[in-house]
Amino acid sequence: MLIEVNAANESVMVTNNLQRKQSEESTGTGLNNIRGRYKFLTTREVIVSDDGKSFRVTLPLLQLEL
């Protein structure tokens, strides 16, 4: 498995080479949880892409208010 983490355009992108499980389909609960939490914090959206070879999640960087 190869995992890449990059920061650009005020976002963090996490990409891994796609390795689908043969026995189970994902329910997407984890990604839906992340999307829901981000909706409370920002209007910028979490972007998920799957091109068949790699899977990428792009998360907006959040500004901390002290």
Side-chain angles (χ1 to χ4, degrees):
M1 175 180 282
L2 175 66
I3 299 173
E4 292 181 31
V5 179
N6 299 299
N9 301 323
E10 297 183 22
S11 297
V12 173
M13 294 172 287
V14 180
T15 307
N16 72 312
N17 57 320
L18 198 55
Q19 298 179 340
R20 296 201 190 277
K21 296 179 183 177
Q22 296 295 327
S23 60
E24 296 180 25
E25 282 280 324
S26 173
T27 62
T29 301
L31 289 173
N32 289 333
N33 187 349
I34 290 170
R35 285 182 175 121
R37 290 173 184 264
Y38 264 81
K39 281 184 181 181
F40 283 112
L41 302 170
T42 183
T43 58
R44 296 175 61 205
E45 84 177 279
V46 172
I47 300 169
V48 178
S49 63
D50 175 349
D51 66 6
K53 294 182 180 181
S54 62
F55 183 78
R56 175 180 289 162
V57 178
T58 303
L59 303 165
L61 289 174
L62 300 173
Q63 195 76 17
L64 288 178
E65 295 186 28
L66 302 174

